[in-house]
Amino acid sequence: MPEGDTVLQTAQRLHTALAGQVLIRSDLRVPRFATADLTGRTVLDVTPRGKHLLTRIEGGLTLHSHLRMDGSWKVYAPGERWTGGPGHQIRAVLGNATRTAVGYRLPVLELLRTADENKVVGHLGPDLLGPDWDAGTALRNLLCEPARPLGEALLDQRNLAGIGNVYKSELCFLLQVTPWLPVGDLPDETAARLPELAKKLLEANRDRPARVTTGSGRPGQRLYVYGRAPRPCLRCRTPIRVADQGDGSRERPTYWCPSCQHGPAPRPYAKQPPPVR
């Protein structure tokens, strides 16, 4: 699931493959930009901003993409078979003499002027993995709606950029509160450490192929709660729970331990998977 760490790794791969090279192939397979031709232009850099990717191209252009749930960028050598999915899922192809970047299932793909990047990323809060990170601003953003459930506030990229469903669940576990606890009900000490704990989690995983929040690299024990229902909690052995949480626009499966985490939770518990045998 692409979150801030995944997007950063994707940006690094694309930057290594494309930056400083002249495009000899360009194919944007979305109706609005299908006739755009970027061949002959040099890719300047690929920069992540929260969950957004900004590929800056000579001539004052930026290709803006967002992976959301299922999107991905793959990089291939000449003659290498493209394996990211069927051809009808390809949304973008950028190629130079040595590498070709292929964007699959990209729900957001648009070409804009680099000077207008603020129109697509200007709404974002401080980036947990970016140079603009500011813990104080992130905390003030989170607390500006005290009645809002913590899980929803963490997913709102206007508050802080880079957290998705995995880190939301893991962060709430580490803070020992449920994702349904109103932000304003967080103890002062807990609220104060929240932004830097979030940054610590993403920083620890920025170069890892598989996320680890527990400190253990053992399969099935890399995460405390996400994806682990109804297996026992790694701390107290209580079965992990899962239920949907959302702001009305989209429901997201949310995991928590009913013993280790304090605060409100939905009743009855929803979407319990069958026991793991």
Side-chain angles (χ1 to χ4, degrees):
M1 184 177 296
E3 303 193 22
D5 54 344
T6 305
V7 174
L8 175 68
Q9 292 171 17
T10 299
Q12 291 172 337
R13 288 195 300 273
L14 290 174
H15 184 87
T16 299
L18 301 176
Q21 302 292 320
V22 176
L23 293 173
I24 61 174
R25 182 172 184 180
S26 163
D27 187 4
L28 304 183
R29 301 181 185 180
V30 293
R32 184 179 174 190
F33 302 105
T35 60
D37 185 7
L38 302 174
T39 57
R41 298 175 186 258
T42 299
V43 175
L44 304 178
D45 66 78
V46 182
T47 298
R49 181 72 173 87
K51 298 182 185 180
H52 299 252
L53 286 162
L54 303 171
T55 301
R56 298 182 178 121
I57 301 166
E58 180 185 18
L61 296 175
T62 294
L63 185 64
H64 167 231
S65 58
H66 195 298
L67 306 179
R68 290 192 180 163
M69 295 294 288
D70 301 315
S72 68
W73 279 95
K74 305 291 185 180
V75 176
Y76 301 101
E80 186 178 359
R81 182 169 173 262
W82 297 0
T83 58
H88 71 268
Q89 294 183 349
I90 295 174
R91 296 293 176 266
V93 180
L94 299 176
N96 55 45
T98 61
R99 293 289 185 272
T100 299
V102 183
Y104 290 89
R105 300 171 298 279
L106 301 174
V108 176
L109 184 71
E110 56 184 331
L111 190 64
L112 64 150
R113 295 189 307 163
T114 300
D116 292 335
E117 285 180 359
N118 199 53
K119 293 181 179 179
V120 293
V121 296
H123 65 287
L124 298 176
D127 187 340
L128 283 153
L129 295 176
D132 69 317
W133 172 247
D134 185 296
T137 298
L139 182 58
R140 287 191 294 273
N141 291 346
L142 287 166
L143 295 176
C144 71
E145 295 183 74
R148 193 176 191 185
L150 176 59
E152 292 180 19
L154 289 172
L155 289 180
D156 190 333
Q157 303 299 294
R158 296 171 298 179
N159 293 332
L160 69 173
I163 290 180
N165 219 32
V166 177
Y167 284 118
K168 174 195 78 172
S169 295
E170 294 297 292
L171 184 59
C172 288
F173 177 84
L174 290 168
L175 293 172
Q176 299 182 338
V177 296
T178 71
W180 291 271
L181 182 76
V183 176
D185 290 352
L186 281 171
D188 290 344
E189 182 179 339
T190 302
R193 59 188 286 256
L194 189 161
E196 288 301 344
L197 180 58
K199 181 175 178 60
K200 182 179 179 180
L201 285 181
L202 268 73
E203 285 281 3
N205 287 284
R206 61 183 298 160
D207 298 318
R208 286 175 173 159
R211 293 190 186 105
V212 177
T213 60
T214 62
S216 171
R218 297 178 61 185
Q221 296 186 7
R222 294 189 179 103
L223 302 176
Y224 281 110
V225 291
Y226 188 85
R228 298 196 71 253
R231 286 176 285 179
C233 173
L234 295 176
R235 285 185 175 171
C236 74
R237 310 306 293 173
T238 299
I240 298 298
R241 304 287 187 178
V242 59
D244 281 337
Q245 181 180 34
D247 59 4
S249 62
R250 183 173 191 174
E251 298 297 320
R252 298 174 183 266
T254 300
Y255 298 82
W256 81 104
C257 172
S259 295
C260 292
Q261 295 172 250
H262 307 290
R267 298 288 193 274
Y269 301 125
K271 286 192 175 180
Q272 294 303 307
V276 176
R277 300 188 184 280

